[in-house]
Amino acid sequence: MSVRFKVVIPARYGSTRLPGKPLLNIAGKPMIAHVCERAQEADADDVIVATDDDRIFQVVSDLGFKAVMTRPDHQSGTERIAEVAKLCSWAGDEIIVNLQGDEPLIPPTYIRDVAAALAGQQQAGIATLAAKISDLEEIFNPNAVKVVLNKAGYALYFSRAPIPWERDTFTLAGGKPSGKFPYLRHIGMYAYTVDFLNRYCLWDASMLESIESLEQLRILWHGEAVRVKIVDQTPAAGVDTQEDLLRVEQVLLLKH
């Protein structure tokens, strides 16, 4: 049975390393156009770019995609998506996938996967993705966020640290994982219900998210469940630097 969901793509003009990032040209079109196409390929019911910048709004509209102007004072893309849901008067049980505007290589199947993970949920109002880690360096890389699940597939904790810590192997010089436990890397794509978004926007920030610099820890801090679906592999990295831009362009040019 197909899952019905909407995709909202938060897109800001400001970027320290790449100003105007959503509008940068990649393989002949603005990056934001590639992201919108991935969402359409996932068979979303609706695809909307949420922005606070007139230039992004105009380009997206001219390309034939939907755009919504949002307030400039949001602290996160999640808050921006919540405003879109309110402006569009979406029902509380609508599923919305948060797709980052700098992820032109995201597999459309992953967009469907995260929406499907949330569909029919009784315990969680939010779902996300993870993939098994096979590389030792990745386990200890603080930029690779790890997640530990309970037996039912819900997140116990997210961390930049290598969790769980294998006491008997990691404490040895050059210690390696025993292989008894599958280490998982969190993939930062989320599906939410509108009701969850409305609750989230009322919560205060938590000490845990400040310590680890991981916004998703606010959800666990406030006692809500996060459903996690395991997918085959971590997708290619998005665009944060000029080097990323060139790498992504080469991949997209090869596809066409």
Side-chain angles (χ1 to χ4, degrees):
M1 185 177 68
S2 62
V3 177
R4 303 198 64 175
F5 63 95
K6 304 177 189 302
V7 172
V8 179
I9 306 167
R12 294 174 58 252
Y13 192 88
S15 171
T16 305
R17 287 181 283 189
L18 286 175
K21 185 162 64 169
L23 302 184
L24 293 177
N25 187 294
I26 301 180
K29 65 182 75 171
M31 178 163 60
I32 193 66
H34 291 285
V35 179
C36 289
E37 288 170 359
R38 299 297 85 75
Q40 288 184 329
E41 290 163 8
D43 297 324
D45 287 344
D46 211 350
V47 179
I48 295 178
V49 174
T51 187
D52 59 1
D53 188 273
D54 290 329
R55 291 161 289 190
I56 294 174
F57 181 90
Q58 194 60 53
V59 167
V60 170
S61 299
D62 289 346
L63 288 167
F65 300 109
K66 291 184 183 179
V68 170
M69 285 294 291
T70 55
R71 300 198 320 266
D73 59 340
H74 290 303
Q75 298 301 306
S76 68
T78 307
E79 293 179 3
R80 198 174 301 281
I81 291 171
E83 184 186 355
V84 171
K86 185 175 181 180
L87 290 170
C88 294
S89 300
W90 288 339
D93 61 352
E94 288 276 8
I95 293 175
I96 305 172
V97 174
N98 177 350
L99 180 57
Q100 298 302 310
D102 56 5
E103 297 279 358
L105 297 182
I106 197 74
T109 53
Y110 283 15
I111 302 173
R112 290 196 297 271
D113 283 343
V114 74
L118 186 57
Q121 268 293 311
Q122 300 299 316
Q123 287 184 251
I126 178 172
T128 190
L129 304 177
K132 291 183 179 179
I133 298 175
S134 56
D135 180 59
L136 178 65
E137 184 179 344
E138 191 174 357
I139 292 174
F140 290 92
N141 179 358
N143 294 317
V145 177
K146 274 66 69 175
V147 59
V148 173
L149 311 183
N150 67 15
K151 67 178 184 178
Y154 296 89
L156 289 171
Y157 193 69
F158 299 88
S159 182
R160 298 183 182 278
I163 56 171
W165 180 267
E166 293 197 52
R167 187 193 64 177
D168 294 335
T169 55
F170 287 171
T171 50
L172 301 174
K176 297 182 180 179
S178 65
K180 296 177 181 177
F181 195 89
Y183 282 81
L184 296 173
R185 177 168 182 166
H186 178 225
I187 298 168
M189 175 184 285
Y190 299 94
Y192 331 90
T193 63
V194 172
D195 281 341
F196 172 86
L197 283 172
N198 292 336
R199 292 196 301 276
Y200 179 90
C201 291
L202 297 175
W203 295 339
D204 294 328
S206 72
M207 185 182 298
L208 285 178
E209 70 180 279
S210 299
I211 291 171
E212 294 244 23
S213 191
L214 295 174
E215 184 186 349
Q216 61 267 43
L217 288 173
R218 185 182 309 186
I219 303 162
L220 299 182
W221 177 267
H222 286 276
E224 295 239 5
V226 179
R227 179 70 174 173
V228 182
K229 179 177 176 57
I230 299 175
V231 294
D232 292 337
Q233 62 184 26
T234 302
V239 177
D240 282 321
T241 65
Q242 187 66 36
E243 291 74 21
D244 291 336
L245 195 71
L246 296 174
R247 168 182 54 79
V248 169
E249 183 166 54
Q250 289 304 311
V251 173
L252 290 171
L253 287 172
L254 284 174
K255 285 185 177 182
H256 298 287

